[in-house]
Amino acid sequence: MLRRSFLHVVRKMAPELSVVILSYNQFDQTTGPCLASLSKIDTLDFEIIVVDNGSDDNTLHHLNVAAAKDSRVRLVLNKENRGYAGGNNDGVAQAAAEIIVLLNSDTMVLAQSLSLLVSQLRTMSGPTVVGPVTNAAGNEQQIFFEPGNEQSILDQGALWSSNAGGSFFSTDQLSFFCVAMLKKTYLDLGGLDESFSLCFYEDADFCYRATCAGVNLQVVEESFVYHAGSASFSTMP
C-alpha cells in the first residue's frame, strides 16, 4: 500500500509540459521578458528549464534570482556555449513532462499560446510537431502586422488568435522559435544535430528528418507567439 501511494504522488508531481529556453547573455532584452510572459500563465501545469550557454556573471545572477522567485524554473548552467542544438538537447534531457516546447529566449507568449499547442498535439493520433503563428519568421508562420512596439504586436496577435476559429494547416517546415512535440518524438528523431555550428539550419534539418519519418508538421493559427528575431545572436558576427 505504501508503495502504491508513493508512485501515485510521483506521477501527480510530473508537470503537464516542459518548456526549454536557451539563455546567452542579454537577460534584460531576451530571457527576462520571455520568463515574465510565461509567469502570467496559470491555466497550464508546466516547468521551465533554462539552459544557459556560458553567459557572464550578470546574466547568471539574474537567472538565479528568477529561479528563486518561481519554483517552476530550473537552471542548467553550461560552462561553455553548446550552441542551439547542444543547449536544447541538454534541456530536453532534463525534461520531466511527456510534452516539450522549445522556446527561443527572444519570444513572448500570450496566456493561451502554449495550451493551444498542447491541445492540438493531443488531438493527433500519430507523431506530430506543432508551432504557432508569429510576427517574425522565414516561412508561412509569419502573418501580416502593422508596424508597432512589442505590446502593439502582441495585441494584434491576440486579435488574430481570437478570430482564427481553431484553424490549423500542415507544412513541411516549422521555425523553431517555438515548437511543441512529445519528448518521445524528439528523442526518436535523435534530437537536434549538434554537428551544425552554433546556430541556424538545425530546425530545417530536424523538420526534413521528421517529414521523412512520417511525422506531421502543423501550424496552429489560434496560437500566437511574439518573436523579436535572432536577438540572441545580434552581437555575433
Side-chain angles (χ1 to χ4, degrees), residues 1 12 20 41 52 80 83 105 109 126 133 140 153 166 169-171 235:
M1 183 63 67
K12 189 175 181 180
V20 178
I41 300 176
D52 186 79
E80 59 184 18
S105 61
V109 302
V133 294
E140 56 197 340
I153 292 173
F169 59 88
S170 297
T171 183
T235 60

Side-chain angles (χ1 to χ4, degrees), residues 167-188:
S167 298
F168 65 91
F169 59 88
S170 297
T171 183
D172 59 3
Q173 179 65 52
L174 288 169
S175 178
F176 271 38
F177 67 92
C178 177
V179 286
M181 70 192 88
L182 293 180
K183 181 178 179 179
K184 183 181 186 302
T185 300
Y186 188 88
L187 296 178
D188 285 349

Side-chain angles (χ1 to χ4, degrees), residues 60-78:
L60 294 179
H61 168 73
H62 285 301
L63 289 176
N64 280 300
V65 170
K69 288 182 177 179
D70 190 340
S71 61
R72 295 175 298 185
V73 177
R74 292 200 286 131
L75 303 179
V76 177
L77 305 179
N78 290 334

Side-chain angles (χ1 to χ4, degrees), residues 1-2 14 22 24 28 32 35 43 56 65 86-87 89 95-96 111 135 144 159 162-163 174 188 191 195 198 232:
M1 183 63 67
L2 288 175
L22 293 193
Y24 182 69
D28 290 336
L35 290 175
T43 58
D56 56 37
V65 170
N89 288 343
N135 59 295
F144 175 78
L159 180 61
S162 68
N163 286 283
L174 288 169
D188 285 349
S195 67
L198 290 181
S232 299

Side-chain angles (χ1 to χ4, degrees), residues 59-119:
T59 293
L60 294 179
H61 168 73
H62 285 301
L63 289 176
N64 280 300
V65 170
K69 288 182 177 179
D70 190 340
S71 61
R72 295 175 298 185
V73 177
R74 292 200 286 131
L75 303 179
V76 177
L77 305 179
N78 290 334
K79 293 183 179 180
E80 59 184 18
N81 193 338
R82 294 256 298 131
Y84 182 79
N88 273 301
N89 288 343
D90 292 343
V92 172
Q94 297 297 319
E98 180 184 31
I99 298 174
I100 61 168
V101 167
L102 306 185
L103 184 66
N104 275 16
S105 61
D106 60 345
T107 61
M108 288 187 286
V109 302
L110 299 176
Q112 301 299 319
S113 298
L114 301 187
S115 60
L116 288 165
L117 297 180
V118 171
S119 295

Side-chain angles (χ1 to χ4, degrees), residues 21-38 48 50-52 55 59 63 66 75 104-107 232:
I21 302 171
L22 293 193
S23 162
Y24 182 69
N25 293 323
Q26 297 180 287
F27 180 88
D28 290 336
Q29 291 75 39
T30 57
T31 312
C34 181
L35 290 175
S37 71
L38 288 169
I48 305 167
V50 180
V51 181
D52 186 79
S55 293
T59 293
L63 289 176
L75 303 179
N104 275 16
S105 61
D106 60 345
T107 61
S232 299

